[in-house]
Structures are given as structure tokens and as C-alpha cells.
């Protein structure tokens, strides 16, 4: 945080050679948990935002883009998703989207309870008023949790922060192997896999891991204005073939996601798929 | 420009509530023209970039996205583009793309000769080695030039900088009225119309002007990582109907543009089209 003239600016420092600074109206919440520094601030251009260890994670302006894409794509690719596991996703945005489907049970495994309580209360644009009896919150280490599940889930969503510090292991093949075991035979695993533009190594590594583990794997993308460069990638895998249904999709009140966007999201621009797939 | 520790950073200041800073390797060129300060610098993440009055205009990393989309969309929507006018576009990237088509004549009207000479020499990733006999450079005010042309062009491309200072009039309906007169009856006009996310008023105003002037008008978008928020809009209009051909398009060696991207680019995400069209 820095005061420039009479304004407060959040200056992101860890993105390497590109720094984005946001003009802030107000700090709403600022506290240190066991795991990280948790802040919610109100910004001029993006509205309220969740900031972990100084890095913007999601905002009122565009949090829906990321959360809709990480949730509805795998759920609509699955024929009948009933039981869903979310690893991470403490802002509750993915869980909110998942509950728009007729699922029966959602396990949300988030390591940091403070993120969930702060976002539920102070970031309603992203978290919604999530109080759905189908959602169980489990405040635990997703890596440990994954080891003990077997043939249980229809869809698993890994909604992690950047692969630094505690989240680093969420990008390792060992972790995906455990998640594969936790999936039913026709289950689908999806994880966020960073910027294909600025961290193509991570997107490529994730895609390669999925190709090694799963018979069917692919990468899709969304455009998230909050993230430098805009382009953001998701990697998806399954033991069984998956395809977009020919039927129209039900309207779930989404603001970015729709069937056309879903189809298009698997067609990465050439200059990006070059970096990842070849 | 600011020195932080031992690094040089270009800190964009005029984007309002969001500031993007680029770590620089080297300033390649820095000179004041009659119109603006012209700089070419080498950056870590984006390679060489053109910076006008402190604002990044185009970069080696992603200049092709913008230039391919502003050029190939109108040229492929026209049945037989022979004579093309480009207003602005001093980085020569749009002209480079236009010459990939079998056009006969390209008039490039750029107010600032210094931008053209600097980019031709020092920003080859964007400008290419543009020395095509079909391209005439006219160093003049595009607004004055537009007033004196009539029923002359198949395609007109307005590749302007932000609507501040000299470029402001390039966003006025009077200017578009002159360009409409400069088009042949089946001619197509396209102009960049800013970020639909952060300057939706400008995109909407441009689209409204086109709707008022032309029987057929639409908005399409591209994702340009250099521009804050990623999403960038283009507005297109014609006196005659235009549609994407069913035939496959010839491969022009593009890195972002292809037929699928062209079709998809007219389907703005709902949360953006809401800001512009309704």
C-alpha cells in the first residue's frame, strides 16, 4: 500500500516485470491469518477486491468470469454431476456457481477459514449469500484431503492461488494423481493453470501432467481483466471422453458464460496454443 | 520513467484508477515531435514497445493481435477490396497486414512522421519491413484529408490513439460522416473504439454514431494483453450489408486472426454488450 498525493494505491509487486497498481477508496478488512495476509479493499475501477499477501485474487467487477468458467464448463461436460469437490476457492465464488446446478453435495476444502469468513461477509458480489445446505465447508489442507478420497466425486475443481508458497504443491502431478483417484470413473477434474501468456511453463506443465494421467485432457481459457494480460487458462481431464452436448444449455443467470463462450474457450488463439501444446 | 532499485520502470499515469508499470531493459529512442513525445523502449515482458506521451501503444509481444483484427476483419468482409485508406496507424502494423491482401492501393494518412520513421526502423516486430510500392504515406491531418475524399475507398481503417489531445476529433460523428462519404457504396469503415470495460461510454458513443450513419453497424472485440483489462473493441459500419463468407479464408500467416476468431469476435460476452448496446 502506498500513499501517492492524497490517494491510496495498492501496488502489486510480485508479478515480475509488470506491476499493476489499483487506486483504492477504502480498506475494508485487513488481518493476518496463520497462512497469509488477508485484505478486502474497495477500489475505484474494480469495486471490492480480495487481496492475499498483496496480490489481487478476485474483484467485484470480474470475479464472475473466472468463477463461471471454472465451474460451469466441467459441470456441463459431465452428464449428471451430483457430488462436487472444490479445493481452494475461499472467496466462495466457485461454490456459488456450482450450486446453480442440481448437485446433491458440495465439499469445499479451503485451508484458510479467514478468507471464507471475510469474503462471505464483505465480498458478496463474488461470494453471493452462499448459505446452501448442500455445501459443506472443510477447513483443511487440500493435499491431505485428496489423499483420503476414492472414487467419490463427479467433478473436482482446483481453485488455487498462484503457485508460490502454500499453493505450490497444488500444481504437482502427485496431487493430480490423488485427485484422479478421488474421481469416479466418469469424473472430471479441472484446475486453474495460470496465464498462458506470462506463465506458459506452468500451463504447459499442468497440461502435460493431465495428458499423462488422463485419457482425455484439454485446455480452455477465459479473459479475466483483473489478471495481467487478460488471458487465463484452465486445464481439464477425465478418464472418460467428454464433449459439449448438442442440446441448448439451461440459463443459469450467468454474465459471461454461455454455450458459445464455452465452445470458443477451447479454441485458444494460435500464438497461445503454440506456447502450451507444441 | 522511474528508477526503482537499479531498474527502470515505465509507469503509465493517465489510465485513471489503474496504473500499469513495465520493467524496461533499455530506451532505444526518445524524441519530441511537433505533436507528441515518441519513445521506443525494450521491456522485459513485452519486448520492444512504442510509447507516445508516456502511454504504451503497441508492443512486439502482442501488436499483431490488434493489427490483424483491425485489418483482416473488414478486408475479409469486403468482397473485393482494392483501395484502402488507413487513418493513423503510424506503427505501420495495420498497413503491413493490409498488404497481405491483393489490394491495389493503400493510402496511409498519419499526422506524425516521426512515429513512422521510428517504428519502421526500430520496431520491426510490429511494422515489418514495410516497403510495399502499393502503400503511399501521406503525412497529414486525417480529419482534413477525410473531408476531401469522395466515393473512393473500399475499406477505411481508423487506427487512432486514445481520444485525448489530437486524436479526440477522430471519435466524433462529423469525422465519421466524412469517412462515409469517402467510401464507395459497398465500402466498409472500421475504427478502434477503446476498452468496452473501462471506457464503455466511448465504445457506445462510437457504435451509436455508426448506427446513425450506416444501414449496417456492429461491434467486435479482440483480447490485447497490453491494454488494461485485455478486452478491446472495434466498431464497423457499411452502407451495404456485410457477412462472413461461408468459404474458408486463405491463410495469410496470421498469429491471432483466423476464421473462427473472426466469427467469435462479434459475440461479445454478455456483461460487455450490456454496457454498449442496451
Amino acid at each position: 500500500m502506498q500513499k501517492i498525493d492524497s490517494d491510496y494505491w495498492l501496488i502489486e509487486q510480485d508479478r515480475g516485470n509488470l506491476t499493476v497498481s489499483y487506486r483504492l477508496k477504502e480498506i475494508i478488512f485487513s488481518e493476518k491469518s496463520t497462512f497469509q495476509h488477508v485484505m478486502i479493499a474497495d477500489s475505484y475501477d474494480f469495486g471490492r477486491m480480495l487481496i492475499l499477501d498483496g496480490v489481487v485474487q478476485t474483484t467485484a467487477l470480474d470475479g464472475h468470469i473466472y468463477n463461471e468458467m471454472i465451474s460451469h464448463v466441467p459441470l456441463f461436460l459431465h452428464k449428471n454431476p451430483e457430488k462436487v469437490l472444490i479445493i481452494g476457492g475461499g472467496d466462495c465464488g466457485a461454490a456459488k456457481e456450482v450450486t446453480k446446478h442440481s448437485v446433491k453435495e458440495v465439499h469445499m476444502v479451503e485451508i484458510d477459514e479467514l478468507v471464507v469468513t471475510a469474503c462471505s461477509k464483505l465480498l458478496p458480489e463474488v461470494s453471493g449469500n452462499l448459505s446452501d445446505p448442500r455445501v459443506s465447508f472443510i477447513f483443511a489442507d487440500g493435499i491431505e484431503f485428496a489423499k483420503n478420497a476414492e472414487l467419490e466425486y463427479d467433478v473436482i475443481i482446483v481453485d488455487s492461488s498462484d503457485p508460490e508458497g502454500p499453493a505450490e504443491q497444488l500444481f504437482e502431478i502427485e496431487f493430480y494423481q490423488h485427485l484422479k483417484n478421488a474421481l469416479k470413473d466418469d469424473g472430471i477434474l479441472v484446475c486453474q493453470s495460470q496465464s498462458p501468456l506470462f506463465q506458459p511453463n506452468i500451463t504447459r506443465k499442468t497440461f502435460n501432467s493431465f495428458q499423462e494421467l488422463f485419457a482425455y485432457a484439454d485446455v480452455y481459457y477465459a479473459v479475466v481483466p483483473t489478471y495481467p494480460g487478460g488471458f487465463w487458462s484452465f486445464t481439464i481431464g477425465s478418464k472418460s471422453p467428454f464433449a459439449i452436448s448438442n442440446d441448448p444449455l439451461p440459463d443459469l443467470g450467468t454474465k459471461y458464460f454461455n454455450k458459445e463462450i464455452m465452445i470458443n474457450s477451447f479454441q485458444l488463439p494460435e500464438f497461445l496454443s503454440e506456447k502450451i501444446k507444441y
Side-chain angles (χ1 to χ4, degrees), chain A residues 10-22 46 49-59 62 66 160-164 171 192-200 202 224-233:
Chain A
L10 172 77
I11 303 172
E12 284 193 326
Q13 293 294 4
D14 80 331
R15 297 273 188 188
N17 303 315
L18 184 72
T19 301
V20 181
S21 310
Y22 305 86
F46 292 88
M49 34 172 67
L50 169 67
I51 300 143
L52 298 178
D53 284 340
V55 178
V56 175
Q57 303 291 319
T58 188
T59 76
D62 65 2
Y66 175 94
S160 67
S161 45
D162 293 343
E164 279 151 31
F171 290 81
Q192 76 87 354
S193 46
Q194 302 290 110
S195 166
L197 188 70
F198 292 130
Q199 296 126 336
I202 292 170
V224 185
T226 298
Y227 301 150
F231 290 104
W232 205 256
S233 78

Side-chain angles (χ1 to χ4, degrees), chain A residues 216-242:
Chain A
Y216 304 90
D218 211 341
V219 174
Y220 65 94
Y221 78 99
V223 181
V224 185
T226 298
Y227 301 150
F231 290 104
W232 205 256
S233 78
F234 304 90
T235 304
I236 191 162
S238 178
K239 295 174 252 186
S240 308
F242 54 84

Side-chain angles (χ1 to χ4, degrees), chain A residues 136-152:
Chain A
S136 316
F137 289 92
I138 300 148
F139 298 109
D141 179 353
I143 291 157
E144 289 308 310
F145 187 91
K147 289 182 188 163
N148 300 310
E150 206 169 332
L151 290 171
E152 206 176 317

Side-chain angles (χ1 to χ4, degrees), chain A residues 26-82:
Chain A
E26 193 188 349
I27 311 286
I28 310 282
F29 177 90
S30 178
E31 216 170 283
K32 226 174 144 21
S33 75
T34 319
F35 306 97
Q36 54 204 341
H37 183 263
V38 180
M39 183 158 86
I40 291 179
D42 195 8
S43 72
Y44 278 89
D45 271 0
F46 292 88
R48 290 198 178 190
M49 34 172 67
L50 169 67
I51 300 143
L52 298 178
D53 284 340
V55 178
V56 175
Q57 303 291 319
T58 188
T59 76
L61 179 80
D62 65 2
H64 65 278
I65 301 178
Y66 175 94
N67 286 315
E68 290 178 5
M69 291 300 282
I70 203 169
S71 303
H72 298 306
V73 172
L75 282 160
F76 277 124
L77 284 173
H78 194 283
K79 280 184 191 69
N80 181 31
E82 293 191 337

Side-chain angles (χ1 to χ4, degrees), chain A residues 7 9 18 22 36 52 73 92 94 97 184 191 201 204-205 210 231 235 260 267:
Chain A
D7 293 327
W9 287 79
L18 184 72
Y22 305 86
Q36 54 204 341
L52 298 178
V73 172
C92 302
E97 297 303 325
K184 290 182 192 156
C191 70
N201 292 347
R204 196 184 322 108
K205 179 185 156 193
F210 274 50
F231 290 104
T235 304
E260 274 167 352
Q267 292 154 2

Side-chain angles (χ1 to χ4, degrees), chain A residues 33 35-36 38 90 110-120 137-140:
Chain A
S33 75
F35 306 97
Q36 54 204 341
V38 180
E110 163 63 51
I111 201 164
D112 195 345
E113 188 169 358
L114 188 63
V115 176
V116 174
T117 49
C119 291
S120 315
F137 289 92
I138 300 148
F139 298 109

